[in-house]
Structures are given as C-alpha cells and as structure tokens.
Amino acid sequence: MITFIGRRLLQLIPVLFGVSLVVFFMVRAIPGDPAQILLGQTATPEAVAEVRTRLGLDEPVIVQYLLFLRDAATGDLGDSLVEGKPVTTALLEKFPATLELALAALLFAVVIGVPIGVIAAVRQYSFLDRITSVIALTGVSMPIFWLAMILVVIFTVNLGLLPFPGRVGNEVSFTSYTGIYTLDTLITLNFPAFWDVLKHLIMPAVALGTIPMAVITRMTRSSMLEVMNEDYVRTARAKGVVPWRVVFRHALRNAMLPTVTVIGLQFGLLMGGAILTETIFTWNGIGQFAIQSIDGRDYAGIQGVVLYGAIFFVLINLLVDVLYAILDPRVRL
Amino acid sequence: MAGTQVREAPVAGGVRTRTRWGDFRQAFFGNKLAVVGLVVIALFVVMAVFAPLLAPYDPIRDQNLTERFAGPSASHPLGQDELGRDILSRIIFGARVSLTAGLAAVVFATVFGTLVGVVAGYAGGLVDSILMRLMDIILAFPSILLAIVIVSILGQGLTNALLAVGVVLLPQIARVVRSSVISIRERDYVEAERAIGASDAQIVFAAILPNSLAPLIVQSTLALATAILDVAALSFLGLGAQPPQPEWGAMLTDAFRSGFGVFTEGQHAIIFPGVAIALSVLAVNFIGDGLRDALDPRRQR
C-alpha cells in the first residue's frame, strides 16, 4: 500500500506541471493590467510602471513562468494582490470556511442520499422507488444558485427560522482557533454561538449538497440492486437472517464501495459549486476569493486556487482508493 | 452503414420483423418519463420559435417602475420584475436565448470532442497520450472556475460564455468517443474494411463512427442538461448574457442584485425563471436517461 500511495503522489508532479502551465498562461491572457487595477484608474503611468516592475510583470512571460516554477518548487506561490499577503497564507485563512461548508454539504448528501437509495432498491419498482428516481433527477436538474435563493425565501423571509447572509450573526462573539466555526464554538463550549453558527450553515450546506445527494441516491440504489442479486445475499436470506440484517450487514456494506468512489468525485464538484453558493450567502471562503482574484487580475491568487484545488482533488481521490482497499479486503493496492 | 445492419429474422407466417430502430422506438417510447421529457422540450421549442406571437408584452421595452415586483395578476400571470417588466414574456423570449446557448455549447463540445476522441482512439500511441493528458488537465479544474477564466479571457457575453461551457464539456465527449473507438477498432468488420483497401477516413466514417453513435448521443444529451445549467450559472455570475437581454440565469441575477427587497416583495421574480431552467434541464435529463436505457442493450429488462 505504501508503494501504491508513493506512486500516486509521484503522478501528481506531471499533473501539477501541466495544470500550472495552462493556468499560468491563461490568467495572463485575461485582458487588464493587474498594476492598473491595483492602483485604480487615476494612477500615473509612472506609478503603474513601477508596480509592474515590482511585480515582475516586465519580464518576458516565459521568464516569469520559469521564475514561478523556481519559487513554486520551494512552496512559494507568490503574493496575492487582492489580499496583500502570500497566496498560501491567504488560502489557508479562507480554506476552513469552504471546508466546513463542503463537509456539511457532504454530510447532508450522505445522511439523506444513502438511506433513500437503500429504500428505493429494497422496494424496487414500488411507488416509493419511482418517486425517488424522479426526485434524484430533479436534484441534479436544479441550478444551485436558484435553490439557494428559494431556501432564503422559504426559511428566512417566510418562516423566519434561519439567518441570512454570512457565517455568523453580528451579536455573537467567540474565539476562533481552527476557522471551522462549528468546531470552534463546540470546543469552547459556547453553545449559544454554536447554535447561531449552525443555523447559518444549514441553507448553504443544503444548497451545495443537493446535487451530491441526488447522485449518491442514484448510485446507492443501483449498486444495492446489483448486490441484492449476489449469491451471498441469497444465502443469507435462505439461512433465515432477518431481512433488515441482510440489507444492512450483507448488502449495504458491499454496495457502499461504488458509492464511496462517487463521494470522492463529488468533492471536486463541491469546490466548483462553492463559488456559486458562497456568492449568494456572502460566505468568505475560497470560492469568493477565486472570484475576487479574477476580478482583480490577481495572477498569483488564481494560480494558487487552481493548483491547490488540483492537489486537493488528487489527494481526495487517493484517500478514496485507500478507503476502498480498507472497506474491501479483496482489493489489493 | 455497413456495420449497423442487423440480420433480419426470416419472416414466416405473421412473425414480425424486429429491427434495431423498432427495438429502440419501443424501448424509448415505452419509458413514460422520457416521453414526458420530450413533450416538455417540444413545448419549450414551440415557445422559443413563436415567442413574438406568444409573449403578451415586449420583454425589454415594456418597463413600468411604478409596478416594481408587482405580484401575479390577470394581466401579468407570472408577475413583474425589478423594472416592472412582464416576467412571463421574458421567460418566453428567454427560452430562445437559454436553450440556444445550451445547445450551441453542446454542439461545439460534441464536434470537437468527437474529433479529439476519434483521433486519439484511432491513432493510439503518442498522439493518444498527448490528447488525453490534455483532456485530463481540463478535467483537473473545477469546471465553473475554468469556464470563468475562459470567459474572462474572451470577454463577457453570451457567445463567449457558451464557448467556455463547450470547452469544459469537451473532455467528457472525447473520453466516451475514444473508448468506443478503441473497442471497435479491432473488430472483424473494421479489419475487413481495411483488407479491401479503405482509407483511414473511410474506415472512420463508414465503420467506426456509426457504431460509436449510441454512447455519443447519450453523452451529448446529458451534456446538454449540464450546458443549460452552466450557461445559466455564468450568466448568474454576470459573465454571460448581459442586461437587459432576457436570459433565465440573467433574470435571476438581475433580481438578486436589485437588493434584499427581492426576497420579501419579489419572490415570484426568483421562483419562475428558476422553474423554467429546472424544468427544461429535467426534461433533457429524462430524455437522456430514456435514450441510455433504450440504446444500451445491457440495461434493457
């Protein structure tokens, strides 16, 4: 397994090289001068020229790329113009907000999606099964920014149950250690703050989690159907194991394998969906940072988002493969 | 179409001949959801084509600021938006913009994706490796982010937004085509074409492409659903259709950006454009699912 993980990590190098090459030249093809945008329209040409020199934008692009590679090899991705600090630092500050949102979305997706998928498979062709497949298709057909707005209409405006927008109410204060607010408020036992933070998290998480929920439901249903026809399930039934035990112990454990893979793939989509969700809920995370750095022609910022995004995506899928081997002893890495 | 013909069963005393087209028709039209999807899309197409006849008001010019966010009424069945325009008329005209943009993005992705897939799958070797690594790089980006960067390069606007969505969808199509080309490349009937001296182009067009059509059609239909959603998302971020153009995603942005008042007074301005997007995407997904079940023999019951 160690050699497998090592090999996969080595494969990251060419992927990152290719991604960095593409993103480096693409961001520089975006019209607009970062120095001009940074200083504003009223800046003198001399001041703009000076900033350009300071940012290294006077060098030929290919030289800029080689310099970027040299620094990147030591873990230095340059300074973000928008945030005025090293990109890695800026992203580390934003990351917990997006991670909290993505994990909550995934939790929603799994907690709702897996049981519905199981029920649909156990009662195949029933009314419940048909409804499930229509709901699952509806889930992947909804624009998430629209779903987010509808949730606000229902739960904030009409029912007055959930707060909007932001991550936390103005009147609430707590010390943040991890940047993951639900965790911060829990470890400091600040329950009123925890309750407030949790209420802020629900709508964005549901909006972001609906597509993965639908995908997980469909995947669970179809892999459950496949597994329910296997010999060992029939054997379990034949020897008189109670039905719920057959479903949960014998079938579901094996049916979860493809579902786990799908969950891993969803993480990449979640990162993209976070851009839309964070825009609606003014959620100060990576998605908002991505939009701001494109608007501000923050080359280092965009490169940072994309490169770390690619690393994260590859690592998640590696984790999924390892998990796969742990769940299924037949799989040898 | 040398490879697609199915040997017909001998017709004897009332035995009906089964053809591939007949099987397909039976499977597809036997699927209620697929038929519903087809009807819904047909209605949207009719709406788009006859928009000037169907829409009660002009979607852009008939503004009335005193009726900002006026709710549904007899004269405005779906209510009015932040500028007092008739939402129904804007949704009807929006069908032209949103559906055409989604379709154009998919046509772009299908044409170039097929090209990449056929070349990679047929040539193999180094060409294959280079093309597919390129596709991997596109797939390594979160698709919305890549589309945003592409639109930023090309400039805001609907045409550039749909091109960006086309590029983002291209790798999926290329992968599907490549894998079916590879599985078909070594079949006997392709070998036969080669033996009788057919050129590469002839082999590709006569033997390989017709036989990889089924997965391609399914993938393209499902890609259309994604394309409509992604174009709407780009418009929502202000990168696609620009005001006052009536496009479903842009209608939602315009309402959203008009301030928090939309959530309290203008709820219909949020609900209806989104329903139009969701309904059309759902219909396309129904059709895509129906096509997949009908075209893939392993899935038939």
Side-chain angles (χ1 to χ4, degrees):
Chain A
M1 189 186 278
I2 301 293
T3 45
F4 171 80
I5 295 174
R7 207 170 56 228
R8 285 281 294 266
L9 288 178
L10 276 182
Q11 284 173 359
L12 240 180
I13 296 170
V15 170
L16 286 181
F17 185 73
V19 168
S20 76
L21 192 72
V22 171
V23 72
F24 192 89
F25 286 96
M26 273 178 71
V27 293
R28 277 159 185 77
I30 300 177
D33 180 356
Q36 186 81 58
I37 292 172
L38 188 68
L39 297 172
Q41 289 303 324
T42 53
T44 59
E46 292 78 32
V48 173
E50 195 207 304
V51 171
R52 282 186 62 83
T53 313
R54 188 161 56 80
L55 296 174
L57 296 170
D58 284 343
E59 307 283 343
V61 181
I62 189 78
V63 175
Q64 288 182 40
Y65 181 63
L66 292 175
L67 289 173
F68 165 77
L69 278 189
R70 189 195 64 192
D71 292 343
T74 65
D76 175 11
L77 291 181
D79 286 359
S80 156
L81 280 186
V82 172
E83 291 285 316
K85 54 181 95 164
V87 172
T88 310
T89 314
L91 284 174
L92 277 177
E93 286 170 12
K94 310 270 178 191
F95 182 65
T98 304
L99 183 68
E100 182 173 39
L101 177 58
L103 286 177
L106 211 53
L107 184 72
F108 166 76
V110 172
V111 166
I112 307 286
V114 170
I116 294 185
V118 170
I119 295 171
V122 173
R123 302 255 176 278
Q124 198 190 2
Y125 303 133
S126 69
F127 179 69
L128 215 60
D129 181 27
R130 282 167 212 279
I131 289 288
T132 302
S133 57
V134 172
I135 290 176
L137 259 186
T138 312
V140 294
S141 303
M142 267 192 288
I144 60 173
F145 54 93
W146 177 65
L147 176 63
M149 289 197 279
I150 295 292
L151 289 173
V152 174
V153 165
I154 298 174
F155 292 101
T156 304
V157 178
N158 294 347
L159 296 178
L161 286 176
L162 296 173
F164 169 86
R167 291 183 70 192
V168 61
N170 289 327
E171 66 290 350
V172 177
S173 72
F174 59 91
T175 329
S176 176
Y177 298 99
T178 60
I180 298 177
Y181 286 177
T182 43
L183 193 65
D184 286 330
T185 50
L186 264 188
I187 53 177
T188 55
L189 303 178
N190 188 346
F191 294 111
F194 174 73
W195 182 235
D196 180 75
V197 166
L198 192 67
K199 283 200 293 190
H200 276 87
L201 183 58
I202 293 175
M203 288 194 296
V206 170
L208 186 57
T210 296
I211 294 178
M213 185 266 282
V215 175
I216 289 172
T217 303
R218 297 184 81 180
M219 198 66 221
T220 306
R221 177 183 176 273
S222 69
S223 61
M224 272 299 278
L225 284 178
E226 214 151 279
V227 171
M228 294 292 274
N229 288 325
E230 295 280 344
D231 288 342
Y232 54 81
V233 172
R234 195 173 322 132
T235 310
R237 278 216 186 101
K239 72 180 185 188
V241 177
V242 280
W244 65 265
R245 219 180 136 84
V246 174
V247 170
F248 288 99
R249 282 214 56 136
H250 298 255
L252 184 60
R253 274 184 70 169
N254 289 293
M256 279 308 285
L257 290 171
T259 311
V260 168
T261 313
V262 166
I263 293 173
L265 290 173
Q266 292 304 309
F267 237 97
L269 291 177
L270 281 179
M271 286 308 185
I275 292 178
L276 295 165
T277 316
E278 290 182 5
T279 302
I280 299 246
F281 289 97
T282 343
W283 197 268
N284 191 13
I286 306 271
Q288 289 246 292
F289 178 67
I291 298 270
Q292 287 158 4
S293 43
I294 290 171
D295 283 345
R297 304 294 181 265
D298 182 354
Y299 294 162
I302 309 168
Q303 285 159 204
V305 170
V306 171
L307 284 175
Y308 278 110
I311 294 176
F312 191 69
F313 189 63
V314 171
L315 289 183
I316 287 286
N317 281 297
L318 178 58
L319 187 71
V320 165
D321 286 345
V322 171
L323 207 60
Y324 216 106
I326 295 172
L327 282 176
D328 187 350
R330 287 168 302 187
V331 177
R332 288 272 164 268
L333 292 181
Chain B
M1 301 287 276
T4 53
Q5 268 163 25
V6 170
R7 193 155 42 105
E8 295 188 355
V11 185
V15 177
R16 282 195 31 215
T17 316
R18 289 184 54 172
T19 62
R20 196 160 163 171
W21 168 241
D23 283 353
F24 165 76
R25 221 171 29 192
Q26 204 177 0
F28 183 80
F29 288 100
N31 183 335
K32 279 190 207 111
L33 290 180
V35 175
V36 169
L38 208 57
V39 170
V40 171
I41 284 299
L43 288 176
F44 271 116
V45 170
V46 168
M47 215 165 89
V49 172
F50 297 104
L53 300 175
L54 293 171
Y57 298 90
D58 184 281
I60 295 170
R61 263 170 291 160
D62 287 340
Q63 297 184 7
N64 186 350
L65 288 174
T66 57
E67 289 171 17
R68 176 186 159 92
F69 289 139
S73 62
S75 51
H76 300 277
L78 301 185
Q80 286 158 275
D81 68 4
E82 70 284 351
L83 297 177
R85 292 170 298 198
D86 180 50
I87 291 178
L88 175 65
S89 303
R90 285 180 68 74
I91 287 180
I92 292 175
F93 273 93
R96 291 188 158 184
V97 186
S98 301
L99 298 181
T100 321
L103 196 65
V106 168
V107 169
F108 177 88
T110 304
V111 169
F112 289 96
T114 306
L115 195 68
V116 171
V118 166
V119 171
Y122 193 72
L126 189 63
V127 178
D128 183 24
S129 296
I130 292 174
L131 284 175
M132 291 331 279
R133 288 304 80 72
L134 208 63
M135 296 295 114
D136 285 349
I137 289 173
I138 298 182
L139 283 173
F141 287 84
S143 64
I144 291 276
L145 186 59
L146 180 61
I148 293 172
V149 173
I150 295 175
V151 177
S152 306
I153 295 172
L154 300 174
Q156 296 171 353
L158 193 62
T159 318
N160 292 337
L162 69 87
L163 277 178
V165 172
V167 171
V168 170
L169 292 174
L170 199 150
Q172 300 176 10
I173 307 276
R175 283 188 160 189
V176 166
V177 172
R178 172 179 172 272
S179 65
S180 60
V181 167
I182 286 177
S183 78
I184 292 167
R185 195 177 56 189
E186 307 301 333
R187 300 267 174 89
D188 287 343
Y189 54 81
V190 175
E191 205 50 48
E193 293 270 337
R194 201 169 284 136
I196 60 173
S199 67
D200 284 343
Q202 279 171 331
I203 294 175
V204 166
F205 283 107
I208 291 184
L209 266 186
N211 286 294
S212 21
L213 268 184
L216 178 61
I217 290 170
V218 172
Q219 193 62 38
S220 297
T221 311
L222 295 174
L224 176 59
T226 316
I228 296 174
L229 282 177
D230 285 359
V231 170
L234 286 178
S235 290
F236 178 73
L237 292 170
L239 298 167
Q242 301 294 316
Q245 191 173 23
E247 193 267 351
W248 297 338
M251 288 173 74
L252 286 170
T253 327
D254 297 346
F256 181 66
R257 291 196 177 166
S258 70
F260 190 72
V262 69
F263 287 112
T264 48
E265 316 150 37
Q267 300 182 351
H268 54 276
I270 295 175
I271 295 170
F272 296 120
V275 168
I277 301 176
L279 210 58
S280 59
V281 174
L282 187 62
V284 171
N285 272 329
F286 281 158
I287 297 173
D289 263 22
L291 285 174
R292 183 169 55 197
D293 291 347
L295 288 172
D296 184 351
R298 278 169 310 166
R299 284 175 161 266
Q300 275 169 23
R301 294 183 218 145

